[in-house]
Amino acid sequence: MSWLDPDDDLDDEYEEFDESSIRTRPNPKANRPRTKRRPAHEDAEIGRVLGVDRGRYSVMVDEGGPDERVITTTRARELRRTPIVTGDRARVVGDTSGAEGTLARIVGTAERTSLLRRSADDTDQVERVIVANADQMLVVVAAADPEPRPRLVDRYLVAALDAGIRPLLVVTKTDLADPASFLSHFDGLDLRVFTSARGEMPTDAIGAELVGHSTVFVGHSGVGKSTLVNALVPSAGRATGHVNQVTGRGRHTSSSTVSLRYESATGTGWVIDTPGVRSFGLGHVEPANILAAFTELAAIAEDCPRGCTHLVDAPDCALIEAAQRGDLGPAELARLDSLQRLLQTFADKADSRDAK
């Protein structure tokens, strides 16, 4: 119905303003229609994710600056399917004052330089992201109580080298057992090794390697990882446990991954403590990348035919031929056995997948 009088002579003149033909759909919620366009958040601050607890992220902003502070954040709805982990460089907006009761929002993350991952087992394609942007991994293993597991350490090394992370190794509880036999398993590797005993923890030597780096600490439960973290970062307060005398297994004491600042007279670095694990699946790693973790064997494998599997039945494999000629020492033979065990796992996984 027009707002003009139908008998008015000016009806024709104002006909173009008649809106009676326009139909609108009612909006019962009386809200604005959703749009796929998102704000650019050009005013976002960049911070380091220190830890995650029940959907809340602790983020340090202005790191090393005059206004350095730790704020509590949540993540934006559009990031609900995007994993945000300890070590990420997050873009945060909202109330970033860090005052009690305030809550900022993560709206994005910067490009990662590295990503350390694991799977539940070697056949599991679901990745568990452990930490982002670490450039070193310190593997902690005990000489005894619990017994050292060379195969588990091999897996740590493969995951580190696959992610482009430099591995380090510390053997604790050397007052209980001589670690020489265990360490011989890693002869020939470019691997910095530290040893630690009761009352003789090499915190200064290890600390020197932490300065200027983000180092993720990994290890089997009960090996003394949390004790080492507390010695390096006295304010950490990480819970410590003991080894079950019946099962020989350690108790999980660290339940979350957290970044802690290491400080010394020579500089600072970041210690990233992770929960202890009893398995470390490599389902996310490409088999071709595994050989790179065994540097001394990789050089020999350059003479292998194209597509060589390096398994025990591989024809014309340079590694197997070197072993048969006696060119490999005991340590290299042990490393070859570790390599073939890992590669066989992936071969079995491929066969199982093809059978389906």
Side-chain angles (χ1 to χ4, degrees), residues 115-179:
L115 192 62
L116 181 63
R117 303 161 292 170
R118 77 178 181 95
S119 56
D121 55 55
D122 290 332
T123 61
D124 188 359
Q125 294 299 317
V126 179
E127 299 176 1
R128 274 75 168 174
V129 179
I130 300 175
V131 66
N133 299 320
D135 59 346
Q136 290 188 152
M137 173 196 283
L138 182 68
V139 181
V140 184
V141 61
D145 192 32
E147 292 297 317
R149 298 171 55 187
R151 308 302 182 204
L152 179 60
V153 176
D154 280 342
R155 290 171 172 272
Y156 285 135
L157 297 179
V158 169
L161 295 178
D162 180 68
I165 298 174
R166 177 197 178 201
L168 307 167
L169 176 66
V170 57
V171 184
T172 63
K173 307 182 184 182
T174 55
D175 54 306
L176 301 181
D178 184 356

Side-chain angles (χ1 to χ4, degrees), residues 47-104:
R48 178 192 295 270
V49 177
L50 301 181
V52 185
D53 182 19
R54 291 170 291 184
R56 294 293 185 263
Y57 300 80
S58 297
V59 178
M60 175 178 285
V61 295
D62 195 31
E63 180 180 337
D67 197 23
E68 178 182 286
R69 60 202 182 279
V70 176
I71 65 176
T72 301
T73 72
T74 184
R75 60 177 169 182
R77 179 179 297 179
E78 56 266 27
L79 298 180
R80 62 184 181 275
R81 295 185 180 179
T82 302
I84 300 175
V85 298
T86 301
D88 264 324
R89 305 292 292 175
R91 301 175 63 241
V92 294
V93 298
D95 190 340
T96 61
S97 65
E100 184 177 357
T102 59
L103 185 65

Side-chain angles (χ1 to χ4, degrees), residues 184-188 296-297 300 319-338:
S184 66
H185 181 74
F186 307 100
D187 288 345
E296 79 285 14
L297 300 180
I300 300 174
L319 291 171
I320 296 176
E321 292 178 351
Q324 293 173 343
R325 291 195 305 267
D327 295 343
L328 303 183
E332 291 173 318
L333 289 173
R335 299 293 289 160
L336 177 59
D337 180 57
S338 291

